[in-house]
Structures are given as structure tokens and as C-alpha cells.
Amino acid sequence: MELSKVFHGRNSVLCDFKEESVLYEKLANTIHIDGKDRLTTLQERVELRDYKPYFETDSLRRREHNPLGMLLFEVTEQCNLGCSYCIYSGDYVNERTATSRNMSFTIAKKTINNLIPLSKGNVLMGFYGGEPLLNMGLVTQIMTYSKDHFPSKEFTFSMTTNFFHGDKHIQEIVDNGVYVNLSLDGSKEVHDKFRKTKAGSPTHERILSNLRKVEEYCPGYVDSHFFIISTCHDPNDLEKIVQFFDENNFFVSRLNGTEKKGKVQNRDSFPLTYDNTHLIKNYQQRVLKNEDPRMLRRIFDQDLKTISLRDKAIMPEQLMLNGSCYPGKRRIFIDVDGIYHPCERFGSRLPIGSVEEGLQQPLIEKYIEKFAKIRNSLCRECWAQRLCTPCLQYAKDPVGEISLEGLSQTCEGKRKQLLTALYNHITLIKLNRSRAEDYVKGINPLFERG
């Protein structure tokens, strides 16, 4: 990337860019392009301003009365794979490991009876693990019970699965219209390095074989109902992952990195040689040629939109906790014991109630207040304060609930992403402003099919 010699301030960031320099300052959410000397002087003036707006919670609290949107069931803690980067691999402090425990139908039924009345209209039910196909009997019971006992609701079902045993459950999946979030990390070479059975056998070929069997049973179902979740564990594999999915007709909904917080063992180590300059250039060229960037959208689109469509007003005295949903409203994650949590990404460390006690409002209020205090303490001295919108999960503490330390461990990576977006924005605007503006307007965070 051609942004270099970055000077970070609390109110601004100054970068060299080819023959010019670039200054972003948060006070007016403005980007300046000029000579280095002039912008250095401007940055010095901007940094003298002691203007520290705070994050308020009222706008988030107003969502307390929103209807419930998703129920996410941890139907089992079992898994048939032994992925080296899995958060449940035993390599992470304060995270559970894979066990033989399953959720009972009694817990699932009580959860449905207690929480479905809090929803309105369509309800999404998601099934997680472990590997949910290892407890497909419970999944089927939940789908049948929900439709039978709440006929006025419209249910959408999904599951997040490695699909290694998918061939055994094709009929139940297709007949119930289940949307499948499938973990597939790219080519056989990349995928099989980390996603193996517990005995160490590769899994890529069997998963693709199972997808072909789904197509044989119901042509078009993979294209309409399967979403690929790809994890890039080794940064040096990123270009191979992009190439694989660009060349194959899979719909990739997410491209994730692996969790770094709380890792106590390092089974995998990688040379720190990765440079994504080629991918950035490729992305820019596709945008300017009016070509679909395809997988590169998942890497660069959302941050580009954040930079390009930022609010250009003077910084207000109060900022909203944008990026965070109200715990227990947009979604509730129910673990195998019937404990409620705000999100599946937290696992079982942030309880907000249980199947026996219901939702506990004091716990929800505690987390909201704590998150606001964390952001007010950490973010007010950061130039990216108005551009960065972390959700509660970003503040997950390596060993506890949420903390300033937990959120701070995400900051360096996010600032790098925003600097890349700043570089993309400047380059595209300089080369073809109208094309760049049209492209940004068309960015959809859901990355819809078609």
C-alpha cells in the first residue's frame, strides 16, 4: 500500500501518499490532500484541540422495546473435526473445549415458549455447535415444534456447519428450507491444512462431494440456500482464498480471521511476510473498470463505504454507540444448559438470563453501561473515533466478560483497515470520481446474491 510514514494523533492521522500527503481529522470528519509541510502545520493545530465528545447510551436503550429477531441454539458441544484454529480447541484460556454434551429438548422447548412471544412476524432460528449435524434429531424437533405451536409466526431456519456429515441429512435440510452457513476455507490445499478430522484426515473433498449430493437431490439449492464462511488462518493464504472463490460459483457471506485473544498455545506459526498490496490494486482496478470485485468486496467494501460516506458535520458533543445491538433484542444465543447470551460469538461468558429465570434486565443494563465506559475511556483519544463502530463482542475480554483491554486488542487492526480504506478512497476518487461515487453508493453490507 502506498500510504507510508503514518503519524497518528488523538484527533488526526497524517500519511504520505506518492507526491502528496493526506490528513484525516475527526473534528470535522474531513480528508485534506496537500503538501507535507502544510498538512503537518494543520495537524499540529488540530492536535491542540481538546474536544472530547462522549458516547451516550440513550439511543441504544431505546431499542429495548424492539421485537426479538433471532434465536440461536447451541444444540451440541460435540464436533467431529479437530480444526487447529478452533476457539474450542483447548488453545484458548477461559473457553470451553469440545465435549459430548447436547442440549435437551426440554430446554429447547422452554426457550421457544418463553422467547417466541417476544418476536414479531418473521423469526430466524439458527443452530450452532460444536457441529449441529451431530444432534440433527433435536434440530428437527425444534423446527417441527416451533411451526406447530406458533402457526402465526413465519420461521426461517439456518445452521452453521462443517457439513462433513451433510449427506446424511439432505432431506431434512431441503424439506425445511434450512439456510446453511458452511465453513469452507478455499482450495483443498488451504482448507485441509487446518480443517481436518480428529484423526487428522482431510475434509475438503468430502464436503464438496456432499454439496454435489445436495444439488442432485434439489438442483439450485446450494446456490440459493448455502452461504460460505471462509476463515483465513494464515495471512499468506489470503490471495489463494480470493482466487479460489472467484473461480468457483460459491456465495461467500463472510471472510474471517482467527481469534487472537486469549490464545495460550501456538500450534501454527506463519512467516510475517504477507503484503496485500496486490489485492488492493486488483480491487481498485476492478472498481474502475466497472467489474465486480467479487471476493475482494468482503475485504474492502465496508470500510471504503465508511470513509467515503462519512458524516461531514462538526463532531457533536455526544456520539451514539453505533455498531452495537441491544443485548437480547436483535438475537439471543442459548447454550446447551439453557443460559442466554447476547451473541454466539461470545460463547458462554456473558449471561443475560436463562430458560428458568428469563431475560435479566439488570445484567443487560450493566453490560451497556460498562461498554459505554470502555469506549469513553479508550476511544476519545483515537483519531478513528468517528469511523470505528465496534459491537459489544469486540470488547470481549481474553479471560473475563468485556473490558477496555479486550477492546484495545482490536484497535491496531481496525486502524490499519481504515488506513487501507482511506488509500482506496483517495486513489479511486483521483482516477475516476463519478465511477468511485457510483460504486460506493451500491455497496450493500449484506452482499446480496445476484
Side-chain angles (χ1 to χ4, degrees), residues 12 14 23 35-48:
S12 63
L14 176 63
L23 176 74
K36 178 69 173 289
D37 291 342
R38 291 172 63 88
L39 291 188
T40 299
T41 301
L42 179 58
Q43 184 180 39
E44 289 171 353
R45 290 167 49 199
V46 167
E47 291 302 314
L48 291 174

Side-chain angles (χ1 to χ4, degrees), residues 228-277:
I228 302 300
I229 300 174
S230 179
T231 298
C232 180
H233 187 34
D234 180 353
N236 298 285
D237 286 335
L238 183 56
E239 197 160 344
K240 298 175 188 174
I241 293 171
V242 169
Q243 181 179 357
F244 175 82
F245 287 114
D246 274 358
E247 292 175 353
N248 290 272
N249 189 30
F250 292 112
F251 183 85
V252 181
S253 61
R254 286 211 310 269
L255 176 59
N256 299 325
T258 47
E259 181 63 85
K260 303 296 190 298
K261 293 182 189 176
K263 191 161 188 178
V264 293
Q265 297 183 44
N266 287 298
R267 284 192 270 171
D268 305 309
S269 60
F270 314 113
L272 300 177
T273 58
Y274 177 69
D275 180 1
N276 67 348
T277 301

